[in-house]
Amino acid sequence: MSIGKYARLGYIKIGRTLPELAKQLGLDPGELQKTVEEHNAHAAEGRDPLFQRGESAFNRTLGDPAMGTKNPNLGPIKNGPFIALTIVPATLGTATGLATDTCGQLLDGQGRPTAGLYACGNDMTSPMRGIYPGAGITIGPAIVFAYRRGQQHPAIGSPGARGRGFRSMIATCTVFGCVAACSR
């Protein structure tokens, strides 16, 4: 796959040298060179004091041990072409959200269940309590809490009623996160 298409679209910037790349990015070439040298020194040491890449077992599973470096998550930046991609902050999932009980029912300010209101997925406070162990962590709880709620809903959880409505509730809650208003 050619990366030229992405450069033409402005998605990435490519420079044959670091100063050329810096110019395209509107950065001081000396500062970019200094940053790359600092990164390379840390890569040679196998540590990343700025971002802690490779310090956890989880991080190391995402690295490339075939690189032969001290830290599979850090490699030197040496040979061009050099490529840059703009990264902007965005939300991926949430660590905090609406407070619920163990079946996804919303709790009021005093911790009491709110009749008919439920949440799951990104809309509820994460069972991980602020820890993000990896991709998919918001999907599992969405499915579990949608299922738990479905088991309690009179129209869905009753024997013989686990058909289309139950699957729709899970799909809606998994894909969108949800706050569901359920009538009894």
Side-chain angles (χ1 to χ4, degrees), residues 88-109:
V88 295
T91 57
L92 173 64
T94 59
T96 181
L98 300 169
T100 65
D101 64 14
T102 59
C103 292
Q105 189 166 13
L106 294 185
L107 302 177
D108 66 17

PDB file of all heavy atoms in Angstrom, residues 88-109:
ATOM      1  N   VAL A  88      -4.917  14.249  17.771  1.00  0.00           N
ATOM      2  CA  VAL A  88      -5.681  15.192  18.579  1.00  0.00           C
ATOM      3  C   VAL A  88      -6.396  14.438  19.697  1.00  0.00           C
ATOM      4  O   VAL A  88      -6.768  13.271  19.526  1.00  0.00           O
ATOM      5  CB  VAL A  88      -6.703  15.982  17.726  1.00  0.00           C
ATOM      6  CG1 VAL A  88      -5.998  16.858  16.714  1.00  0.00           C
ATOM      7  CG2 VAL A  88      -7.663  15.055  17.031  1.00  0.00           C
ATOM      8  N   PRO A  89      -6.571  15.069  20.832  1.00  0.00           N
ATOM      9  CA  PRO A  89      -7.273  14.406  21.923  1.00  0.00           C
ATOM     10  C   PRO A  89      -8.727  14.096  21.543  1.00  0.00           C
ATOM     11  O   PRO A  89      -9.384  14.894  20.883  1.00  0.00           O
ATOM     12  CB  PRO A  89      -7.241  15.424  23.066  1.00  0.00           C
ATOM     13  CG  PRO A  89      -6.260  16.464  22.671  1.00  0.00           C
ATOM     14  CD  PRO A  89      -6.142  16.409  21.176  1.00  0.00           C
ATOM     15  N   ALA A  90      -9.178  12.937  21.938  1.00  0.00           N
ATOM     16  CA  ALA A  90     -10.568  12.538  21.708  1.00  0.00           C
ATOM     17  C   ALA A  90     -10.934  11.498  22.754  1.00  0.00           C
ATOM     18  O   ALA A  90     -10.067  10.886  23.371  1.00  0.00           O
ATOM     19  CB  ALA A  90     -10.731  11.962  20.306  1.00  0.00           C
ATOM     20  N   THR A  91     -12.205  11.303  22.935  1.00  0.00           N
ATOM     21  CA  THR A  91     -12.636  10.293  23.886  1.00  0.00           C
ATOM     22  C   THR A  91     -12.745   8.950  23.195  1.00  0.00           C
ATOM     23  O   THR A  91     -13.185   8.851  22.059  1.00  0.00           O
ATOM     24  CB  THR A  91     -14.003  10.646  24.502  1.00  0.00           C
ATOM     25  OG1 THR A  91     -14.948  10.793  23.438  1.00  0.00           O
ATOM     26  CG2 THR A  91     -13.919  11.913  25.311  1.00  0.00           C
ATOM     27  N   LEU A  92     -12.299   7.932  23.868  1.00  0.00           N
ATOM     28  CA  LEU A  92     -12.419   6.565  23.366  1.00  0.00           C
ATOM     29  C   LEU A  92     -13.470   5.838  24.198  1.00  0.00           C
ATOM     30  O   LEU A  92     -14.321   5.152  23.700  1.00  0.00           O
ATOM     31  CB  LEU A  92     -11.066   5.854  23.471  1.00  0.00           C
ATOM     32  CG  LEU A  92     -11.066   4.384  23.132  1.00  0.00           C
ATOM     33  CD1 LEU A  92     -11.424   4.174  21.666  1.00  0.00           C
ATOM     34  CD2 LEU A  92      -9.727   3.764  23.425  1.00  0.00           C
ATOM     35  N   GLY A  93     -13.378   6.005  25.441  1.00  0.00           N
ATOM     36  CA  GLY A  93     -14.323   5.394  26.355  1.00  0.00           C
ATOM     37  C   GLY A  93     -14.377   6.297  27.574  1.00  0.00           C
ATOM     38  O   GLY A  93     -13.737   7.336  27.623  1.00  0.00           O
ATOM     39  N   THR A  94     -15.114   5.904  28.543  1.00  0.00           N
ATOM     40  CA  THR A  94     -15.207   6.716  29.744  1.00  0.00           C
ATOM     41  C   THR A  94     -14.817   5.893  30.946  1.00  0.00           C
ATOM     42  O   THR A  94     -14.957   4.669  30.958  1.00  0.00           O
ATOM     43  CB  THR A  94     -16.636   7.246  29.949  1.00  0.00           C
ATOM     44  OG1 THR A  94     -17.534   6.131  30.053  1.00  0.00           O
ATOM     45  CG2 THR A  94     -17.069   8.146  28.818  1.00  0.00           C
ATOM     46  N   ALA A  95     -14.306   6.539  31.945  1.00  0.00           N
ATOM     47  CA  ALA A  95     -13.973   5.863  33.192  1.00  0.00           C
ATOM     48  C   ALA A  95     -15.018   6.199  34.245  1.00  0.00           C
ATOM     49  O   ALA A  95     -15.109   5.550  35.248  1.00  0.00           O
ATOM     50  CB  ALA A  95     -12.586   6.292  33.670  1.00  0.00           C
ATOM     51  N   THR A  96     -15.780   7.228  33.978  1.00  0.00           N
ATOM     52  CA  THR A  96     -16.797   7.627  34.930  1.00  0.00           C
ATOM     53  C   THR A  96     -18.055   7.994  34.153  1.00  0.00           C
ATOM     54  O   THR A  96     -17.976   8.415  33.011  1.00  0.00           O
ATOM     55  CB  THR A  96     -16.308   8.797  35.803  1.00  0.00           C
ATOM     56  OG1 THR A  96     -17.334   9.149  36.734  1.00  0.00           O
ATOM     57  CG2 THR A  96     -15.942   9.996  34.978  1.00  0.00           C
ATOM     58  N   GLY A  97     -19.149   7.762  34.746  1.00  0.00           N
ATOM     59  CA  GLY A  97     -20.413   8.051  34.087  1.00  0.00           C
ATOM     60  C   GLY A  97     -21.523   8.025  35.120  1.00  0.00           C
ATOM     61  O   GLY A  97     -21.313   8.313  36.289  1.00  0.00           O
ATOM     62  N   LEU A  98     -22.684   7.624  34.671  1.00  0.00           N
ATOM     63  CA  LEU A  98     -23.829   7.560  35.572  1.00  0.00           C
ATOM     64  C   LEU A  98     -23.657   6.424  36.572  1.00  0.00           C
ATOM     65  O   LEU A  98     -23.248   5.313  36.214  1.00  0.00           O
ATOM     66  CB  LEU A  98     -25.099   7.342  34.749  1.00  0.00           C
ATOM     67  CG  LEU A  98     -25.394   8.435  33.717  1.00  0.00           C
ATOM     68  CD1 LEU A  98     -26.498   7.992  32.777  1.00  0.00           C
ATOM     69  CD2 LEU A  98     -25.746   9.730  34.410  1.00  0.00           C
ATOM     70  N   ALA A  99     -23.969   6.694  37.824  1.00  0.00           N
ATOM     71  CA  ALA A  99     -23.874   5.675  38.865  1.00  0.00           C
ATOM     72  C   ALA A  99     -25.038   4.700  38.719  1.00  0.00           C
ATOM     73  O   ALA A  99     -26.183   5.101  38.526  1.00  0.00           O
ATOM     74  CB  ALA A  99     -23.895   6.316  40.241  1.00  0.00           C
ATOM     75  N   THR A 100     -24.716   3.398  38.798  1.00  0.00           N
ATOM     76  CA  THR A 100     -25.744   2.362  38.689  1.00  0.00           C
ATOM     77  C   THR A 100     -25.549   1.320  39.780  1.00  0.00           C
ATOM     78  O   THR A 100     -24.485   1.238  40.396  1.00  0.00           O
ATOM     79  CB  THR A 100     -25.668   1.629  37.333  1.00  0.00           C
ATOM     80  OG1 THR A 100     -24.442   0.926  37.256  1.00  0.00           O
ATOM     81  CG2 THR A 100     -25.802   2.590  36.164  1.00  0.00           C
ATOM     82  N   ASP A 101     -26.574   0.496  39.970  1.00  0.00           N
ATOM     83  CA  ASP A 101     -26.411  -0.656  40.846  1.00  0.00           C
ATOM     84  C   ASP A 101     -25.834  -1.813  40.019  1.00  0.00           C
ATOM     85  O   ASP A 101     -25.472  -1.627  38.854  1.00  0.00           O
ATOM     86  CB  ASP A 101     -27.735  -1.022  41.533  1.00  0.00           C
ATOM     87  CG  ASP A 101     -28.830  -1.474  40.575  1.00  0.00           C
ATOM     88  OD1 ASP A 101     -28.540  -1.775  39.393  1.00  0.00           O
ATOM     89  OD2 ASP A 101     -29.994  -1.541  41.010  1.00  0.00           O
ATOM     90  N   THR A 102     -25.763  -2.999  40.595  1.00  0.00           N
ATOM     91  CA  THR A 102     -25.137  -4.132  39.903  1.00  0.00           C
ATOM     92  C   THR A 102     -25.946  -4.665  38.732  1.00  0.00           C
ATOM     93  O   THR A 102     -25.462  -5.516  37.994  1.00  0.00           O
ATOM     94  CB  THR A 102     -24.862  -5.289  40.885  1.00  0.00           C
ATOM     95  OG1 THR A 102     -26.102  -5.688  41.473  1.00  0.00           O
ATOM     96  CG2 THR A 102     -23.879  -4.871  41.959  1.00  0.00           C
ATOM     97  N   CYS A 103     -27.153  -4.143  38.539  1.00  0.00           N
ATOM     98  CA  CYS A 103     -27.955  -4.544  37.381  1.00  0.00           C
ATOM     99  C   CYS A 103     -28.142  -3.391  36.396  1.00  0.00           C
ATOM    100  O   CYS A 103     -28.944  -3.481  35.484  1.00  0.00           O
ATOM    101  CB  CYS A 103     -29.303  -5.091  37.833  1.00  0.00           C
ATOM    102  SG  CYS A 103     -29.132  -6.667  38.696  1.00  0.00           S
ATOM    103  N   GLY A 104     -27.414  -2.305  36.593  1.00  0.00           N
ATOM    104  CA  GLY A 104     -27.469  -1.200  35.652  1.00  0.00           C
ATOM    105  C   GLY A 104     -28.550  -0.174  35.925  1.00  0.00           C
ATOM    106  O   GLY A 104     -28.731   0.747  35.139  1.00  0.00           O
ATOM    107  N   GLN A 105     -29.286  -0.310  37.028  1.00  0.00           N
ATOM    108  CA  GLN A 105     -30.310   0.680  37.330  1.00  0.00           C
ATOM    109  C   GLN A 105     -29.645   1.946  37.860  1.00  0.00           C
ATOM    110  O   GLN A 105     -28.748   1.892  38.706  1.00  0.00           O
ATOM    111  CB  GLN A 105     -31.298   0.145  38.365  1.00  0.00           C
ATOM    112  CG  GLN A 105     -32.493   1.046  38.553  1.00  0.00           C
ATOM    113  CD  GLN A 105     -33.627   0.370  39.310  1.00  0.00           C
ATOM    114  OE1 GLN A 105     -33.451  -0.694  39.902  1.00  0.00           O
ATOM    115  NE2 GLN A 105     -34.793   0.976  39.278  1.00  0.00           N
ATOM    116  N   LEU A 106     -30.053   3.110  37.324  1.00  0.00           N
ATOM    117  CA  LEU A 106     -29.452   4.377  37.745  1.00  0.00           C
ATOM    118  C   LEU A 106     -29.722   4.645  39.214  1.00  0.00           C
ATOM    119  O   LEU A 106     -30.796   4.342  39.731  1.00  0.00           O
ATOM    120  CB  LEU A 106     -30.017   5.530  36.922  1.00  0.00           C
ATOM    121  CG  LEU A 106     -29.691   5.541  35.438  1.00  0.00           C
ATOM    122  CD1 LEU A 106     -30.222   6.810  34.792  1.00  0.00           C
ATOM    123  CD2 LEU A 106     -28.215   5.402  35.181  1.00  0.00           C
ATOM    124  N   LEU A 107     -28.727   5.237  39.859  1.00  0.00           N
ATOM    125  CA  LEU A 107     -28.857   5.610  41.262  1.00  0.00           C
ATOM    126  C   LEU A 107     -28.981   7.118  41.366  1.00  0.00           C
ATOM    127  O   LEU A 107     -28.337   7.858  40.606  1.00  0.00           O
ATOM    128  CB  LEU A 107     -27.641   5.137  42.051  1.00  0.00           C
ATOM    129  CG  LEU A 107     -27.364   3.636  42.003  1.00  0.00           C
ATOM    130  CD1 LEU A 107     -26.078   3.310  42.759  1.00  0.00           C
ATOM    131  CD2 LEU A 107     -28.539   2.847  42.567  1.00  0.00           C
ATOM    132  N   ASP A 108     -29.784   7.583  42.312  1.00  0.00           N
ATOM    133  CA  ASP A 108     -29.915   9.023  42.506  1.00  0.00           C
ATOM    134  C   ASP A 108     -28.755   9.525  43.366  1.00  0.00           C
ATOM    135  O   ASP A 108     -27.842   8.760  43.716  1.00  0.00           O
ATOM    136  CB  ASP A 108     -31.284   9.387  43.093  1.00  0.00           C
ATOM    137  CG  ASP A 108     -31.499   8.858  44.507  1.00  0.00           C
ATOM    138  OD1 ASP A 108     -30.519   8.478  45.190  1.00  0.00           O
ATOM    139  OD2 ASP A 108     -32.666   8.839  44.948  1.00  0.00           O
ATOM    140  N   GLY A 109     -28.770  10.796  43.717  1.00  0.00           N
ATOM    141  CA  GLY A 109     -27.688  11.398  44.498  1.00  0.00           C
ATOM    142  C   GLY A 109     -27.480  10.784  45.864  1.00  0.00           C
ATOM    143  O   GLY A 109     -26.408  10.911  46.450  1.00  0.00           O
TER     144      GLY A 109
END
